[in-house]
Each structure stands twice: as structure tokens, then as C-alpha cells.
Amino acid sequence: MAAVIGLTGGIGSGKSTVAQMLRALGATVIDADEAARAVVEPGTPGFAQVVEAFGDGYVRDGRLDRQALADLVFHDEAARLRLNAITHPLVRQWMAERQAEALERGDRWIVLDVPLLFENSLEAAFPVIVVVWTPADLQVERLVGRGLRAADARARVAAQLPIDSKRDRATHVIDNSGPIEATRRQVEATWAAITSGGRPAPQAT
């Protein structure tokens, strides 16, 4: 028997930090961002499809120029939908394969780290959903701290469902707007509640 948990949040909310903490607590974490990189590696069908759709101008040193592509799709809705149509099915397949491997190993707690969980209407697949929350202005501030221009940061935040809407639809919320130790305490308490309180409901393997 295994249980599958959804982990999501907004860009810049610190979801990767929480995922690392969950790994340390014993969860198997399957990361959609890792999948998104893997499925467009040089030589993959995804790489070929993206280059065919967007052109060689988005290839740099033999690899996709992810920054240039991101700059395009976060300001061009049609381009974003075109990219998603290529990559999302490949990402889902990649994650399903990793999940099958985890089940075969007998892993008990499997966390699927899915940034666009609500945007892609996937909540029905998860008996428990953990949302990593920070205020929207802090999301922008963190993205600017990573080197994005403020306008680009705001565009990327705006491209997702508002973080407060995600919070309102969560089973558990991790407030990652404060010190890292405060986040860690929340993660530990949430994990204890999930693993000892009958949540999530076991799913047959």
C-alpha cells in the first residue's frame, strides 16, 4: 500500500525548499520541474518538438535556451499554450514512470511536486494537497532577487493561479514567508499529521 500526496505552490514560494525537507523526513519526492528539464534534454523527442515549434533561435550550445524560452512564453499566451501542449504530456509520462518505480520499490509515502497542480485541474488525483504559501509581493521580490526584472517577475506570478486561491484549496498550508526554521517546524508538524493521522487515504498499488 502506498499513499500519494500533492505538493504545490507559486513560483518563488519556496516549494523546492519544502520538498527537500520532506525528502529528509522520508518522503519520495517526484519533481515536475525536474521532469520538465529531463523531457527536453538534447536528443529527446521533446527537444525536437520544441525546436520545431519555436525555431533554432531558442537553442544555445546544443541545448534549449530555457531563459529565452521562458521570457517568450511568460509574455505570450499563445506561445505558452503551444509549449505546454508539447511538454505537459511528456512531463506526466515521466512522472508516472518515476511513480511506478517508487511503487515497485515499495515506497510508502510518495510526494508529487507539481507547480501547476490546480491550474491543470489535478486536485482530484490527490487525497491530500500541501500548498507552500508566501504573499504575492514576496514571490516577486524573491524572483527579482534571482536576477529577473520586476516586470518579468510579475508576469510569471500572474501566469499562475493566485497564491491565495491555492492556499484556500489546500489540505495543509506551509507559510514560507518567515525564517527557515519556522518553515521547518511547519513541515515537520504537517508531515506528522499526514503520516500518523490517517491522511492521506491509502491507495492500492
Side-chain angles (χ1 to χ4, degrees):
M1 301 288 284
V4 181
I5 302 145
L7 174 67
T8 193
I11 187 169
S13 65
K15 184 170 52 59
S16 296
T17 297
V18 170
Q20 291 172 359
M21 292 177 181
L22 291 172
R23 281 193 181 97
L25 292 169
T28 298
V29 178
I30 301 172
D31 185 353
D33 285 337
E34 181 183 353
R37 292 188 294 270
V39 301
V40 293
E41 282 291 300
T44 62
F47 177 87
Q49 291 174 45
V50 172
V51 174
E52 181 180 359
F54 294 94
D56 291 335
Y58 290 95
V59 178
R60 183 176 181 181
D61 299 328
R63 309 178 72 86
L64 281 183
D65 187 339
R66 294 172 58 87
Q67 183 61 56
L69 197 56
D71 289 343
L72 169 69
V73 301
F74 282 108
H75 291 90
D76 183 332
E77 177 70 9
R80 184 158 61 91
L81 292 174
R82 189 160 74 250
L83 180 63
N84 289 348
I86 295 169
T87 59
H88 283 187
L90 297 172
V91 167
R92 287 194 291 269
Q93 179 183 352
W94 187 95
M95 295 185 75
E97 290 170 355
R98 302 293 85 73
Q99 185 174 338
E101 292 167 359
L103 293 171
E104 187 174 346
R105 290 193 303 266
D107 295 358
R108 176 66 180 92
W109 301 97
I110 302 170
V111 174
L112 269 59
D113 181 346
V114 185
L116 300 180
L117 188 154
F118 292 115
E119 288 86 343
N120 289 329
S121 302
L122 299 176
E123 55 262 49
F126 300 100
V128 163
I129 297 173
V130 178
V131 167
V132 183
W133 178 87
T134 60
D137 58 351
L138 183 54
Q139 290 180 263
V140 172
E141 180 181 326
R142 287 175 175 173
L143 293 174
V144 170
R146 297 177 190 173
L148 286 181
R149 293 173 300 182
D152 291 337
R154 287 192 292 270
R156 296 192 185 196
V157 171
Q160 297 183 343
L161 187 71
I163 191 67
D164 288 350
S165 296
K166 296 185 180 188
R167 177 190 58 190
D168 293 343
R169 295 161 71 175
T171 314
H172 299 282
V173 177
I174 305 295
D175 180 345
N176 190 39
S177 61
I180 189 68
E181 285 308 316
T183 298
R184 191 183 309 279
R185 287 193 295 271
Q186 293 176 71
V187 171
E188 291 172 350
T190 297
W191 192 241
I194 290 172
T195 56
S196 66
R199 287 179 167 177
Q203 297 185 358
T205 63

